[in-house]
Amino acid sequence: MEFTDEQVKRYSRHIILPEVGGKGQKKICRSKVFITGAGGLGSPVALYLAAAGVGTIGIIDHDVVDLSNLQRQILHSTKTLDRPKVDSAKETLEALNPDVKVIPYREKLTSANIMDIIKDYDIVLDGSDNFPTRFLVNDACFFLGKTLISGSIFRFEGQVTTLKPHDGHPCYRCLYPEPPPPGLVPSCQEAGVLGVLAGTVGVIQATEAIKEIIGMISSLASYLLIYNALEMRFLKVKTHKDPNCLLCGKEQKITKLLDYEQSCVLR
Amino acid sequence: MSVKIRIPTPLRKLTDGKGEVEGAGKTIGELLDNLDGRYPGIKERLCDESGNLRRFVNIYVNEEDIRFRQGKETALADGDEISIVPAIAGGCV
């Protein structure tokens, strides 16, 4: 592909970076990224990736925009209340950058549809709000050999890691082999979340995605970044590929997608 | 042996809201007993009935996951920083 004059100008601050350059920007423009959830994390992820010129952004969410979303879900606005989040997202992203092809999926991600949906994307970013989806996305990305950039938030705390089990790095199950039983770890809206935390964590996920696309070596693969907004503290810990991992370990026990039950109980 | 333990948000109701507490023990196992003595219930949240660390919780000594060291037998040194890190799932709602 050749850049138009407009693209040269739009992406000029990337192109002048020696680490990105025209070559890196072309990779970004050709890339296809899939985002689970057009919510707190999906919003900053999608906005920055669209601004950067990612060629195709697929985004899945079955929900509609609610007033209580707008404290953090910056893809949406008071004008798009009650509309499907993916439609609102598409409008916002295309207004920001018409170069980007946005593919909305207004449905739930399930074991029945995930493989078909994500198979044509290069990278997956998870910003879902529940453990069953997180394990589903992890397992599907493993089966398809896709890099998964996982972000999660809870009250004042966030976690980000880049999962590349196909490249000698851990998968999500190496970190957390199984989802918690109902009630032990709250994962639902009752818990509350600092709105701007979603921004910090989502933008770190987007940073990882851009670096993966360009092919920069240093990443959060084999690391977990833990951020506490209240204490303004970042902790980066080492993660390990688990040789006994049921999914990506030596003796693979999980050979197909599993459906976990959704839990929404706070103890 | 005195170490610092970072308490994740979901467990802070057991530590009077404190995000960081002091603890003592030669190993992680001893440290968990020590913590449970002062903050009853915390061990039950971290370990299952057989005393094994729950599979959605990780404990790091400095930056290393104890599951890839000696588990609950992992030795502690004065001044170590222990982080308890449970899986969290939020992002979308």
Side-chain angles (χ1 to χ4, degrees), chain A residues 102-158:
Chain A
V102 180
I103 305 178
Y105 301 83
R106 194 190 169 188
E107 54 194 305
K108 280 190 173 168
L109 208 49
T110 68
S111 57
N113 65 14
I114 188 168
M115 298 294 261
D116 253 357
I117 292 177
I118 68 171
K119 68 177 190 309
D120 295 326
Y121 291 92
D122 305 318
I123 292 180
V124 177
L125 291 105
D126 191 5
S128 60
D129 61 356
N130 63 82
F131 284 109
T133 305
R134 288 186 180 273
F135 281 85
L136 179 69
V137 172
N138 176 67
D139 295 0
C141 285
F142 171 75
F143 290 132
L144 293 168
K146 310 269 181 207
T147 295
L148 169 61
I149 301 167
S150 173
S152 57
I153 50 175
F154 177 75
R155 291 187 184 159
F156 294 95
E157 252 171 39

Side-chain angles (χ1 to χ4, degrees), chain A residues 1 3 11 14 23-35 48-58 99-103 120-125 206 208-215:
Chain A
M1 65 169 277
F3 291 126
Y11 305 123
H14 265 168
K23 213 173 139 194
Q25 185 60 47
K26 280 180 187 169
K27 286 185 185 169
I28 296 173
C29 291
R30 279 194 300 259
S31 67
K32 295 178 171 181
V33 173
F34 185 73
I35 302 168
Y48 267 103
L49 294 184
V54 163
T56 305
I57 294 179
D99 284 353
V100 181
K101 184 179 170 196
V102 180
I103 305 178
D120 295 326
Y121 291 92
D122 305 318
I123 292 180
V124 177
L125 291 105
E208 285 289 288
I210 293 293
K211 286 163 53 196
E212 284 294 326
I213 292 165
I214 296 173

Side-chain angles (χ1 to χ4, degrees), chain A residues 165-182:
Chain A
H166 48 279
D167 209 10
H169 296 285
C171 78
Y172 190 69
R173 285 183 188 275
C174 294
L175 265 82
Y176 302 115
E178 278 173 15

Side-chain angles (χ1 to χ4, degrees), chain B residues 54-68:
Chain B
R54 292 185 187 275
R55 306 185 76 175
F56 53 89
V57 180
N58 290 329
I59 297 181
Y60 297 86
V61 175
N62 302 320
E63 290 173 6
E64 283 292 335
D65 188 338
I66 62 162
R67 279 202 291 141
F68 297 90

Side-chain angles (χ1 to χ4, degrees), chain A residues 40-41 72-73 128-129 134 152-153 157 159 174-175 177-178 184-185 228 231 233 235 237-238 240 267, chain B residues 6 9-10 12-13 20 45 55-56 58 60 63-64 67-68 83 85-93:
Chain A
L41 294 174
R72 66 203 174 284
Q73 301 186 11
S128 60
D129 61 356
R134 288 186 180 273
S152 57
I153 50 175
E157 252 171 39
Q159 297 180 6
C174 294
L175 265 82
E178 278 173 15
L184 268 183
V185 175
N228 187 302
E231 293 153 12
R233 192 201 301 268
L235 175 70
V237 296
K238 190 92 187 72
H240 296 264
R267 199 168 79 161
Chain B
R6 299 228 173 86
T9 316
R12 287 186 191 175
K13 55 185 166 196
E20 193 173 286
R45 297 292 296 271
R55 306 185 76 175
F56 53 89
N58 290 329
Y60 297 86
E63 290 173 6
E64 283 292 335
R67 279 202 291 141
F68 297 90
S83 302
V85 183
I88 54 176
C92 183
V93 255

